[in-house]
Amino acid sequence: MRGFDRSGAAGAGRVKLLRLKADGFGPLRGEYRFAPDRLNLVLDQNESGKSSLLAAIAAALYGLDGDKRTHRLLTPLERWRPWGGGPYRIELELEAAGERLTVTRDFERGTVEVWNDRGREVTEAYRLGKDEFAIGQVSLGLDASEFEKCAFIRQGELEEVVPGDEKARRASTLQARLENAADTRVGDTNAIEALRALEGAAESYACPELSSTLRVETTIQRLETKRELLDAEIHALEHDLESMTPDLEELARVVESEQEARESLARLETERRRARAAEVRDRLEQDAARRREVERLRAEAESLAPMSGVPAAAEAEFRDAVARLDETVRRLRPPDAVEGSERETPAATAGDLEAQMRSGLEDPSRDEALLARFGSLLPEQRETLRGYLNFEIECRTELSGLERDRVESRARLREIEATRRSLRVPGWILAALGFASTGLAAALALGPRAGESLVLLFGGLPAAVLGIALLLVASGRRRAERQAARDRLREAGERVDSLTRRRADNEVRLEALARELGCSSPAELLRDWRDHGELLRRRTTLEEQRRAGESAAGLRARAVHALESAGIAYDPGRGWADHLEDLAARVRGAERHALLTLELIPAAERALLDEAAVRNLKEELAALPGDAAPDPAPAAGSRTLAALEQAIEELRGVIDLLVERRSTLRIRIEERWRARSRGRVASGRRSSWPARPCARSLSTPTGDGRSS
């Protein structure tokens, strides 16, 4: 398509159509490509969408009108709404002025975007008004009506442009005559005919303004008269317009506010798309990070797979076996032995038990004789020996206790006697003095010194009484304790006598037993019996050591088996602690492998998005328009997606209120204008709508950002 500049010169703009993508436009849905270097023909059956394809191209270049005042029944915006529902959006790719452009119009949201092949948005370069973006007018130099007249012919309109009948094309009309006049093949004849046609037209001019056919001069006079009438009517209209100015101004403010709200809504929609795109990218990035984590966990589990067969109780079993083995080795080691290293194996200790048993016997022949002599003792004989030894132990213990009691009783008696003696001596002295004084007083009373006898009598009697009292007190002082001490002393003596008799009886029986066993004396019998007991204790100790050695060998085998169950070969040159470190590391590896395979990896896989969800998110991200690209420097106080959606809903509510107010004002103005029009009609004069002032005030923004 070649455009025209405003002067009519060809070549103002050359546009090549490359591709049309319809997400939803009438019956269209899909993508259509054109070859600009060739003739493109669209051939198909009726009602298949050929006219819809041409309408979609025109809508992408100029938009769709949604003003119901111009289109009472059905606006183009409503007419081309997708038949099957869904998005109401088209995308046209074209080449203009050597630059490839992509035009995207979303009629549902009322947005338009123009991007060049360098990825820059150049929408503002095609703005003609406040909210009008006419890509075709800037590129071709033609507005929508001119484009439809010269480059876009609807179905059924071709007959009106070029009649199919040649006679009709050559009819005797001014147009036909001028066409013939310009035809060089006919020559001057057609020019004469054209002049005659012009003269005839001047004699009989059909004036549509006067609805009559008159001479040109008469028509001019009547038109001047009508112009004067129209001037008067214009003055009246201006007066009426002044009365409606407040409503019109308010309507203009409402329209401006509505336009600002729609612009804010468009910005919020862009921000919402960016927020949604950021959220989708975050989800995809998080899913990718989770997938990398799953791969890392799987690689770790694969590296730990050789340890998965290690028994969980191997370490505990090994620790228990080694601890019990160390305890057994310590019991086997002689008390005065120096502590050896932990690498000492119990096998050598268990192997030397027989030699230790042989070396522990001082005189094997005597030991055999003792075993033969005391091995055939009767039970009562064994009881006699054990009873004698036990009695000796008990007797010595009891005799020491009895001797201690006797010493304590004698000491207590001596203490009591000392206490009584401390009171008895003063009593005897006072009593003697008292009785002496009384006797002397009696002797003096018979002589001439009777007065002095009274003094001696009164001094001697109290002394005698006090002395007798002290003697009585001394005789009763600690009598119970003295008797208890005497009883204990007596009982101790009786018990000693009893033990002595029992010992004598036991010695008699022991002497008889010694003679029976062929011993020279009871002392020899007791010495042999003690040696026999010591021999039995040594044999018992060696037997216990032998069993402990066998147990140590079994514990060592158990520890080695625990190592082998974990895949570790026992090295005698290394200590148990080194083997324990290796075993603990393998057990931890097995536990980590079980944790990875049973918990961590399944949990991480459950957190992954399925393939369908990832594909849907990628498709959603790819379907978002170009303004949803990530912001290289996002604002610090950027709002969340939920906050943006809430703000959008609130702003849509404000727009609905503004639209409602605009409709109210518009209806009020139209009613007042209709009332005036009815008055003008009643007065016999025609009325017309004030074209420019009212049209500007009543213009409303449409869904695609243009004003109607």
Side-chain angles (χ1 to χ4, degrees), residues 657-673:
L657 294 177
L658 291 174
V659 169
E660 183 178 359
R661 179 60 180 167
R662 174 170 56 80
S663 300
T664 302
L665 292 173
R666 180 176 174 181
I667 292 172
R668 185 192 303 172
I669 294 172
E670 288 179 351
E671 288 178 352
R672 294 181 63 178
W673 186 257

Side-chain angles (χ1 to χ4, degrees), residues 46 88 153 156 201 234 325 354 390 393 483 563 589 621 630 645:
N46 292 336
Y88 191 8
I153 302 173
I234 286 172
L325 178 60
E354 196 66 29
N390 293 337
I393 295 173
Q483 185 62 36
L563 291 175
L621 185 62
E645 291 178 351

Side-chain angles (χ1 to χ4, degrees), residues 267-430:
R267 289 192 296 270
L268 286 177
E269 288 287 348
T270 301
E271 188 176 356
R272 184 190 66 81
R273 289 192 295 271
R274 287 179 178 173
R276 177 57 183 168
E279 181 181 358
V280 171
R281 292 189 191 95
D282 289 342
R283 292 187 62 185
L284 291 174
E285 291 174 359
Q286 291 175 4
D287 183 70
R290 293 192 187 101
R291 292 182 183 277
R292 290 192 297 271
E293 180 65 15
V294 168
E295 293 300 326
R296 187 188 68 79
L297 293 176
R298 287 175 178 169
E300 183 181 358
E302 186 176 355
S303 65
L304 296 175
M307 303 181 185
S308 61
V310 176
E315 182 180 2
E317 183 178 359
F318 180 79
R319 287 179 181 273
D320 179 68
V322 170
R324 294 175 63 184
L325 178 60
D326 291 341
E327 181 64 26
T328 303
V329 170
R330 280 195 297 271
R331 288 202 309 268
L332 292 173
R333 188 180 298 116
D336 56 348
V338 181
E339 291 291 335
S341 65
E342 64 176 353
R343 295 191 182 125
E344 180 184 355
T345 61
T349 303
D352 294 340
L353 285 176
E354 196 66 29
Q356 292 177 9
M357 291 178 64
R358 289 194 298 270
S359 63
L361 302 177
E362 297 178 356
D363 189 358
S365 60
R366 186 174 184 280
D367 293 341
E368 293 296 332
L370 290 175
L371 292 174
R373 176 184 298 173
F374 294 104
S376 59
L377 288 179
L378 297 176
E380 56 270 15
Q381 293 174 340
R382 290 179 180 275
E383 187 63 29
T384 299
L385 288 172
R386 291 194 186 98
Y388 180 82
L389 293 176
N390 293 337
F391 174 75
E392 284 295 321
I393 295 173
E394 293 175 2
C395 183
R396 289 174 184 175
T397 304
E398 192 171 356
L399 284 175
S400 63
L402 291 174
E403 186 64 28
R404 186 171 54 255
D405 291 342
R406 292 172 68 180
V407 172
E408 291 177 356
S409 298
R410 290 192 185 99
R412 181 63 58 85
L413 287 174
R414 285 194 296 270
E415 180 186 358
I416 293 172
E417 287 298 328
T419 303
R420 294 178 68 181
R421 190 181 302 112
S422 65
L423 294 175
R424 192 183 295 118
V425 171
W428 284 113
I429 293 172
L430 289 175

